[in-house]
């Protein structure tokens, strides 16, 4: 074998971009708090749904789990006291979707990404 990891990437048709293309997510988390597993779960879920998204992590201060999308803070565990819901990291927060296509935050009944 030539080092193939077993993952398959399917390119979008010519003229189309992958879902999430041009979106950059940065997650800052507290490693000593054990939040790395939550970051990895989030990153995996996001990349599965939006393969074109660029997602990276940074080590943060005690209790931190902060999410920025394209430089805009969309979730802060330090401010909210809990972990994000799916709606907190949806493409509705990226500016790529018209607001009329996005559910309101109050109407969302998604489950937390971490337990």
């Amino acid at each position: 074998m030539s080092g193939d990891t077993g993952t398959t990437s399917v390119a979008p048709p010519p003229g189309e971009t992958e879902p999430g293309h041009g979106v950059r997510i940065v997650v800052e988390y507290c490693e000593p708090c054990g939040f790395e597993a939550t970051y990895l779960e989030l990153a995996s879920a996001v990349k599965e749904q939006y393969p074109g998204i660029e997602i990276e992590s940074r080590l943060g201060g005690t209790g931190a789990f902060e999410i920025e999308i394209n430089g805009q803070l969309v979730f802060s565990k330090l401010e909210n006291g809990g972990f994000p819901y799916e709606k907190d990291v949806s493409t509705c927060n990226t500016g790529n979707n018209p607001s009329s296509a996005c559910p309101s935050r109050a109407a969302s009944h998604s489950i937390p990404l971490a337990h």
Side-chain angles (χ1 to χ4, degrees):
M1 297 188 79
S2 61
D4 183 18
T5 61
T7 57
T8 303
S9 177
V10 177
E16 292 184 29
T17 59
E18 290 182 306
H21 178 75
V23 176
R24 182 170 184 255
I25 297 177
V26 177
V27 179
E28 182 177 310
Y29 66 89
C30 173
E31 185 178 42
C33 301
F35 298 163
E36 182 176 22
T38 303
Y39 161 71
L40 294 172
E41 179 183 344
L42 171 67
S44 176
V46 167
K47 287 299 280 183
E48 184 176 317
Q49 188 166 2
Y50 304 103
I53 284 182
E54 177 186 341
I55 186 165
E56 67 178 67
S57 66
R58 289 192 291 230
L59 297 182
T62 301
F65 199 89
E66 318 299 294
I67 301 173
E68 291 181 4
I69 299 179
N70 291 342
Q72 178 182 352
L73 183 68
V74 297
F75 178 82
S76 171
K77 182 179 182 299
L78 295 174
E79 291 177 12
N80 299 325
F83 284 96
Y85 287 78
E86 289 178 22
K87 65 179 173 52
D88 295 315
V89 290
S90 94
T91 58
C92 296
N93 290 317
T94 66
N96 286 353
N97 288 336
S99 59
S100 62
C102 298
S104 74
R105 289 178 170 254
S108 177
H109 298 288
S110 59
I111 57 171
L113 293 171
H115 320 303

